[in-house]
Amino acid sequence: MLAGRDAERAAIDALLDRARTGASSALAVVGEPGIGKTSLLAYAASRASDFTVLEVLGVESEAELPYAALHQLLHPLLGADVPPAVRVAFGAAGAAPADRFAIGVTVLELLADAAEERPLLCILDDAQWFDHESAAALGFAARRLGQEGVALLFGTRTSFAPGVPELVVERLGSDSAREVLIAAFGAASDAVMASAEGNPLALLELAAREREGASPQSSVERSFVERIGALPEASRTALLVAATADAGDLAAIAAAAAELGAPIATLEPAELAGLIRLDAARVEFRHPLVRSAALAAASFQARQRAHRALADALTAPEDADRRAWHLSASSIGVDESVADELAGAADRARARGGYAAASLALERAGERTGDAARRRRWLVESAEMAFSAGRFDRTERLLDDAEAVAGPGSASRRAGDEGAAAEPGGTGRRPAIPEPGLAAR
């Protein structure tokens, strides 16, 4: 039910109608967690029976994996003949990475090709968690849509990219909030309405908790934490592993949970409680706040154990990057083996043109090594990658950090570091300056 959302539905209908006439456009549905963004995106899907519909869901822990969101979007469109600009970006070896302009143009061309026979709707939810490279490519394409019959619909907590129009979703007024509660529960509680303050998810969750005998004087996330706390211990462990995983891959989650003494069957109480949905291949959380509540309900040590179990489960070569980040989260302090894993992830990201991801991995690698020389070298390389990604404020900070590590004589070293950052890989080639706005992602 979308009570009080007539204006939002009209904006989405207009987006779809433009695509039906062959015109393309993009729209970012912006609002706080629980405000109904996903419901509005589901409304769009329900109105697009005559469209080809592609869906992408951003996951916070995938934000370090270059082109992860873009791969979700484009994978159904790619046949045997993958365009060179994205082939390397998606992990193929043997060629130099394309620049961001070429990747953005290729994305636009692939979307246009997909809309040749019928209009195309791309639903891109939780876009605030998209990796930097995917967000840049999608922002580039969104700003250049013309007459392709493509509709890009983003769900995001904050602005997605410059030039993408926004539909800001506000809290419900009292009449609409009451309508939601009466439709769902047959009555409207004044206490629930006061606590929820017009947030639709809060209305439904707090009303359900009140009917169970709990106080409605709570936040939505706190309500989810309480619901998770009522699960059996093994169910909480398996749910924590699922929340910690950077994808809903059931096989990896099952292996990691079993290592911690929680077979996958122990997720059944969480499913019956309406917290997750299970199918043969994936675990899906009812809402991102359930995922964050599962993490909040666990201790730091329990979260570390979950990361370690997932790292142990991710042994395939194609999972090396995910393994590196889980290893990083599973321990604290100096760990040279973790530093090496992160440096390897940085090398792979750099080879794919994922400069923002490479910069972050190199910085993390520097934090995990006890060798000052390696730390300084990785910080300089991280600055180099940040420069290539257009993250100039980050470049400056990383060079300052490298200077602090360098110690005596650092002034002359700083000059060399700046030269290295301006010429990635020592090639003497200054990287292309990004489009305005990309550096802000």
Side-chain angles (χ1 to χ4, degrees), residues 36-116:
K37 302 184 297 294
T38 298
S39 295
L40 287 167
L41 268 55
Y43 170 79
S46 74
R47 302 280 288 179
S49 59
D50 53 334
F51 282 66
T52 298
V53 180
L54 301 177
E55 298 188 51
V56 176
L57 179 64
V59 179
E60 182 176 6
S61 51
E62 285 195 356
E64 298 89 1
L65 303 178
Y67 297 110
L70 198 62
H71 186 268
Q72 273 193 69
L73 176 66
L74 298 183
H75 185 263
L77 305 181
L78 299 176
D81 187 20
V82 180
V86 298
R87 185 184 303 127
V88 176
F90 291 168
D99 61 37
R100 282 170 293 164
F101 181 85
I103 290 175
V105 169
T106 299
V107 170
L108 189 58
E109 290 173 347
L110 287 169
L111 297 179
D113 290 347
E116 280 189 353

Side-chain angles (χ1 to χ4, degrees), residues 39-250:
S39 295
L40 287 167
L41 268 55
Y43 170 79
S46 74
R47 302 280 288 179
S49 59
D50 53 334
F51 282 66
T52 298
V53 180
L54 301 177
E55 298 188 51
V56 176
L57 179 64
V59 179
E60 182 176 6
S61 51
E62 285 195 356
E64 298 89 1
L65 303 178
Y67 297 110
L70 198 62
H71 186 268
Q72 273 193 69
L73 176 66
L74 298 183
H75 185 263
L77 305 181
L78 299 176
D81 187 20
V82 180
V86 298
R87 185 184 303 127
V88 176
F90 291 168
D99 61 37
R100 282 170 293 164
F101 181 85
I103 290 175
V105 169
T106 299
V107 170
L108 189 58
E109 290 173 347
L110 287 169
L111 297 179
D113 290 347
E116 280 189 353
E117 296 185 4
R118 58 195 314 215
L120 174 68
L121 170 63
C122 300
I123 296 176
L124 305 123
D125 203 1
D126 276 333
Q128 72 276 357
W129 301 133
F130 286 2
D131 59 278
H132 175 85
E133 288 78 16
S134 294
L138 289 167
F140 179 100
R143 287 186 291 274
R144 288 163 175 78
L145 293 171
Q147 300 297 315
E148 303 87 1
V150 174
L152 298 182
L153 188 59
F154 300 91
T156 178
R157 296 181 188 177
T158 59
S159 296
F160 178 71
V164 176
E166 294 181 359
L167 174 65
V168 179
V169 186
E170 305 288 354
R171 295 189 174 206
L172 295 174
S174 58
D175 289 345
S176 296
R178 191 175 300 277
E179 185 181 348
V180 168
L181 289 175
I182 290 173
F185 299 101
S189 161
D190 289 339
V192 167
M193 288 182 61
S195 295
E197 298 181 329
N199 183 293
L201 178 64
L203 286 165
L204 297 174
E205 178 61 22
L206 298 182
R209 294 290 287 157
E210 184 182 54
R211 291 168 70 88
E212 295 169 359
S215 170
Q217 307 296 325
S218 176
S219 69
V220 181
E221 187 167 349
R222 184 66 224 169
S223 176
F224 285 140
V225 169
E226 292 167 356
R227 187 175 293 191
I228 290 167
L231 297 173
E233 182 179 357
S235 297
R236 296 198 304 272
T237 297
L239 191 66
L240 173 61
V241 171
T244 305
D246 48 15
D249 180 358
L250 187 61

Side-chain angles (χ1 to χ4, degrees), residues 250-345:
L250 187 61
I253 291 168
E259 182 178 323
L260 297 175
I264 199 65
T266 61
L267 278 176
E268 184 177 357
E271 185 177 27
L272 294 175
L275 298 170
I276 59 171
R277 291 186 295 271
L278 290 171
D279 62 27
R282 298 187 63 76
V283 178
E284 293 185 5
F285 282 84
R286 169 189 168 188
H287 190 274
L289 288 178
V290 178
R291 180 189 292 270
S292 59
L295 296 170
S299 68
F300 175 67
Q301 290 77 15
R303 295 195 298 271
Q304 282 187 304
R305 288 193 293 271
H307 279 293
R308 182 70 207 204
L310 283 163
D312 291 343
L314 295 169
T315 57
E318 61 269 23
D319 292 327
D321 294 342
R322 295 165 63 196
R323 172 181 166 80
W325 284 107
H326 282 301
L327 282 173
S328 177
S330 72
S331 62
I332 58 175
V334 171
D335 189 321
E336 299 296 343
S337 64
V338 171
D340 288 338
E341 292 268 4
L342 288 166

